[in-house]
Amino acid sequence: MGWSINQRRGLTHSRPDRSIKGYTLIAPLFGNAAYLIDMAGRVVHTWDLGDLGGNLARLLPNGHLLTLGPDRAKGPATPADEADFLPLEERARSIGGNGALLRELDWDGSVLWEYRNPAMHHDFVRLPNGHTLIPEWIELSDDLAKRVRGGWNHRGKQGPLIGDDIVEIDGDGGEVRRLRTWEMLDPRRDPICPLERRTEWTHVNSLDVNDAGDIAFSCRQNSRVGIIDGASGTLRWKYGAPDTYHQHHATFQAEGRIQIFDNGMHSRGQPASKVIEVDPNNNEVTWTYQGAPTLQFFSPHISNAQRLPGGNNLVCEGATGRIFEITKQGEVVWEWLSPFFNEIRGQLLPWTYRAYRYPANDPAVAGRDLDPARWASLNRLHGLE
């Protein structure tokens, strides 16, 4: 979606009678803070992320903040087109979504726990047993790389092709389980998009776990969504192009269905984004949201959609920093445009990887001091009052 450089930021639309009341959490990309926003669009709490940087933040039921970032204390990364032959630890820092540092902060921002892994990226799931699930980049064998189709090489050269493992770690950072997505996918039938560089085969950008322990994952580079059986560790469903393109945030819904933010980048015809719900039993799309007109809603990368209690969805159009809530019928009942711009690739941009809404009675926020007056100067600075 294009926007005017003079466009008003903050809350732009609200239907209090139709929206799900609560607080929205964001961690602007390449920033240094996470923000909790009320229904009036005002900041009511912040966490200083320091050298962690902004990437992804999520509240745990006890009000602790679990957040993933690139560990900027290590300094600037090597440009992507120069990093192909570096060791994986250094090479990973040049890839979008890298997050070498996972931290748990209390409500006041004190560090309670951290885990460092230079190959970790994009997402995490804190499991009921206290373990954490993460995606991890790994270098594929030359033999497998030769069999993977698609993509293009920079100046005819290519370093080791990168794939993804899904790793479960315990509270001490010890490895409990490892699942290899590159053994579950087919190098011929699940090719890299021809418009993407041959640096990664899969690029896992989301994980979700249901009550049965099944794992849903999304791969951007080859436009694939899958479900791994929690008991056997085998792939039991695969979906993607030509039905979705470079999608993000595949999440479990009622009756085993999967909701997907389909970015629509490199799609056939006119690129546009949509949110869809798919039944893995028959691949039927049971619900769709698109912009009206279609191009009114488009983020070529990042982004997410969160199903809220009652059936509404909170949608993050990440490239524009536009966060909005829609009903099942597609009516926009709340809209907020992020005023938090950070320097990204030489430009000031409002990129927001994801947004999460926590209902007012959620244990993560219930009973907390969420008075926007405490943050009056910050709200005035960003035009949120």
Side-chain angles (χ1 to χ4, degrees):
M1 183 186 81
W3 71 86
S4 166
I5 59 171
N6 300 310
Q7 186 174 23
R8 180 166 64 94
R9 292 270 152 178
L11 187 68
T12 62
H13 178 69
S14 178
R15 284 284 309 272
D17 57 319
R18 305 295 302 278
S19 57
I20 304 300
K21 308 302 181 292
Y23 300 90
T24 301
L25 177 69
I26 64 167
L29 277 174
F30 292 80
N32 59 7
Y35 302 94
L36 201 60
I37 309 297
D38 68 10
M39 297 301 293
R42 303 166 298 189
V43 172
V44 295
H45 194 72
T46 71
W47 291 263
D48 183 353
L49 302 183
D51 60 352
L52 179 64
N55 198 343
L56 173 64
R58 190 178 297 137
L59 282 169
L60 301 175
N62 60 5
H64 293 174
L65 188 78
L66 197 56
T67 184
L68 177 69
D71 193 2
R72 294 183 302 188
K74 293 186 176 181
T78 303
D81 58 0
E82 300 175 13
D84 287 357
F85 294 93
L86 293 176
L88 181 60
E89 178 174 344
E90 288 299 313
R91 189 180 178 193
R93 297 178 62 221
S94 71
I95 304 174
N98 69 89
L101 181 56
L102 180 64
R103 275 182 177 162
E104 183 175 342
L105 310 177
D106 67 15
W107 186 261
D108 297 318
S110 297
V111 177
L112 304 175
W113 175 85
E114 70 176 29
Y115 170 72
R116 294 176 184 268
N117 180 341
M120 177 172 54
H121 61 99
H122 276 97
D123 206 358
F124 53 80
V125 177
R126 176 60 58 86
L127 301 171
N129 63 1
H131 294 180
T132 307
L133 203 67
I134 58 168
E136 181 181 303
W137 283 313
I138 59 104
E139 291 184 349
L140 302 177
S141 70
D142 289 342
D143 176 66
L144 176 56
K146 290 175 182 177
R147 291 187 286 119
V148 174
R149 294 196 168 186
W152 57 273
N153 293 330
H154 179 67
R155 298 177 181 174
K157 299 179 180 179
Q158 177 191 333
L161 191 63
I162 294 174
D164 288 284
D165 286 352
I166 298 172
V167 183
E168 180 180 343
I169 59 170
D170 61 23
D172 296 321
E175 183 176 319
V176 176
R177 178 174 55 152
R178 181 176 291 264
L179 300 166
R180 298 177 172 87
T181 63
W182 45 274
E183 291 183 344
M184 303 176 193
L185 299 174
D186 189 297
R188 293 171 59 88
R189 296 177 180 175
D190 304 310
I192 303 167
C193 170
L195 299 179
E196 296 291 323
R197 284 186 63 203
R198 281 185 62 89
T199 53
E200 299 177 80
W201 179 15
T202 44
H203 194 86
V204 167
N205 58 33
S206 78
L207 297 174
D208 194 30
V209 181
N210 65 11
D211 292 340
D214 301 328
I215 301 168
F217 66 91
S218 164
C219 302
R220 184 189 185 277
Q221 294 300 89
N222 58 353
S223 298
R224 291 294 185 266
V225 173
I227 296 177
I228 300 171
D229 183 84
S232 66
T234 58
L235 186 71
R236 65 176 176 86
W237 181 66
K238 183 173 66 176
Y239 183 81
D243 298 303
T244 65
Y245 289 88
H246 298 314
Q247 76 293 316
H248 285 68
H249 204 226
T251 54
F252 287 104
Q253 305 300 325
E255 301 178 357
R257 294 172 182 169
I258 297 291
Q259 181 167 280
I260 301 167
F261 188 106
D262 178 13
N263 294 78
M265 187 65 170
H266 299 159
S267 61
R268 297 174 182 176
Q270 180 175 272
S273 298
K274 59 187 176 182
V275 181
I276 62 173
E277 183 184 78
V278 184
D279 185 345
N281 293 311
N282 53 21
N283 287 354
E284 178 187 357
V285 176
T286 56
W287 178 80
T288 302
Y289 169 77
Q290 287 186 285
T294 305
L295 276 180
Q296 184 270 334
F297 173 42
F298 180 48
S299 179
H301 65 132
I302 54 180
S303 313
N304 77 308
Q306 175 199 7
R307 185 70 56 85
L308 299 174
N312 283 9
N313 261 290
L314 186 74
V315 181
C316 173
E317 186 185 71
T320 64
R322 175 180 174 237
I323 300 166
F324 59 102
E325 181 183 349
I326 55 172
T327 65
K328 288 181 179 179
Q329 294 73 36
E331 178 188 358
V332 176
V333 295
W334 188 87
E335 182 187 64
W336 184 85
L337 302 183
S338 176
F340 302 111
F341 284 67
N342 295 296
E343 185 173 345
I344 305 172
R345 300 172 187 171
Q347 304 177 75
L348 288 176
L349 297 168
W351 286 4
T352 307
Y353 180 49
R354 291 188 193 164
Y356 291 100
R357 170 77 54 81
Y358 296 87
N361 62 354
D362 190 292
V365 296
R368 302 285 182 177
D369 180 2
L370 297 173
D371 184 358
R374 295 181 59 233
W375 308 95
S377 59
L378 179 65
N379 284 314
R380 283 195 298 271
L381 176 66
H382 292 285
L384 298 177
E385 288 193 338

